[in-house]
Amino acid sequence: MAADPTYNLTALADRLGVEGRLPALAGKIRRARELHSLHTDLVMALESVAALDNLLLAPTDLSDHGKMITESALLNNAILLYARATKTASDERKGFDPRPRFDERQKAIHRELCDLRDAAIAHFGSGGVYSGEWQAELSILQFRGEDAKVAVVTRRQTVDKGLVKRVRAQIEAALPHFRDAYLGSLDELTDALQLEADTNADFSDEIGQHPLNLALFMKSEQAADEARRSFDSEHARGAVAHS
């Protein structure tokens, strides 16, 4: 029995854009993809924090350099993904500003994390409003007896456990807002598709020009099956009548 078909709405939106047709529908298709992408960044950020929490359960061993580097990388990744989702935008993905939905404490932590991204992680600096010490470096002159040598010493933050807690809390505060925005975009897209199907007898043919091999896109049949299971979840919304 042949698998039920899947179609590439992003390819449809791209073609409609080139042809200068149905800009509202094309925009809703793009916006759903953008909001899902932003939400995914936050999910991955929270997964990084969860992995970091597991590492921090073990006693600190200053001789285990690999563990310290992994902890630092996970914290940096969580902060980068949070800032990428909540602050930055690009030509390839429009943003979503959650700040109007935050309380004052959440706004302060949001600024702290974005400052760390901008002025400590992505670009060298002390971290803006971050009150801890992210890194410190000094040029020094050392003596040993009558001999002297110049050197540079550096101290880098690996993991600030208080910051880890704030990062987790902030991601958990932001996620529902992005989730609601994404699910709302699916509802709007469903309505737009249904309207077009109701008013354009050839619309099924329009969509039919863009079949998608889901397993090929997802790189495995197992991953494709996981995506197909979303059909019965809230992450796939509405029903569009078709023939």
Side-chain angles (χ1 to χ4, degrees):
M1 182 177 177
D4 290 319
T6 300
Y7 296 95
N8 186 344
L9 291 180
T10 294
L12 171 64
D14 291 343
R15 179 168 63 83
L16 292 175
V18 170
E19 296 173 356
R21 298 190 297 118
L22 303 177
L25 174 61
K28 291 182 188 305
I29 293 171
R30 295 190 189 98
R31 191 56 179 156
R33 181 194 61 79
E34 290 168 346
L35 288 167
H36 179 268
S37 178
L38 294 165
H39 180 265
T40 299
D41 277 357
L42 288 177
V43 170
M44 293 178 67
L46 192 58
E47 290 171 345
S48 293
V49 175
L52 175 56
D53 284 340
N54 286 333
L55 286 177
L56 292 177
L57 291 175
T60 300
D61 180 358
L62 296 180
S63 67
D64 191 346
H65 191 64
K67 179 175 180 290
M68 293 172 62
I69 291 297
T70 302
E71 291 171 352
S72 177
L74 287 169
L75 179 57
N76 286 354
N77 191 58
I79 293 171
L80 282 169
L81 286 171
Y82 172 83
R84 190 170 80 176
T86 61
K87 178 188 176 185
T88 63
S90 73
D91 293 339
E92 297 183 29
R93 186 178 75 177
K94 293 181 180 178
F96 174 80
D97 187 357
R99 287 175 298 176
R101 299 160 178 81
F102 288 161
D103 61 29
E104 291 307 310
R105 174 169 170 74
Q106 290 165 350
K107 288 178 181 177
I109 298 174
H110 171 82
R111 182 183 174 190
E112 177 186 32
L113 300 188
C114 290
D115 273 10
L116 278 170
R117 182 267 178 198
D118 293 343
I121 300 173
H123 307 281
F124 183 85
S126 59
V129 299
Y130 173 63
S131 60
E133 183 182 73
W134 197 258
Q135 56 225 349
E137 298 177 335
L138 296 173
S139 297
I140 63 172
L141 177 64
Q142 299 182 89
F143 280 86
R144 179 180 293 171
E146 295 183 357
D147 295 329
K149 286 188 176 181
V150 295
V152 176
V153 291
T154 184
R155 184 174 64 248
R156 300 291 175 97
Q157 177 68 265
T158 52
V159 170
D160 173 342
K161 292 185 178 180
L163 175 62
V164 174
K165 291 180 180 179
R166 295 195 297 279
V167 171
R168 172 181 280 280
Q170 189 66 18
I171 296 169
E172 290 175 342
L175 262 169
H177 302 307
F178 282 78
R179 177 176 168 274
D180 289 347
Y182 164 58
L183 295 179
S185 74
L186 292 186
D187 289 336
E188 291 182 11
L189 177 54
T190 298
D191 290 343
L193 288 169
Q194 186 63 65
L195 177 62
E196 195 60 31
D198 290 342
T199 57
N200 181 353
D202 297 325
F203 188 59
S204 291
D205 294 334
E206 292 263 22
I207 294 177
Q209 295 181 46
H210 302 285
L212 177 67
N213 185 326
L214 193 58
L216 184 63
F217 175 76
M218 298 299 294
K219 304 295 186 182
S220 76
E221 192 63 49
Q222 181 180 358
D225 286 341
E226 289 290 332
R228 292 186 187 104
R229 277 194 280 274
S230 72
F231 195 93
D232 297 317
S233 78
E234 64 180 0
H235 296 289
R237 300 294 280 256
V240 179
H242 63 93
S243 58

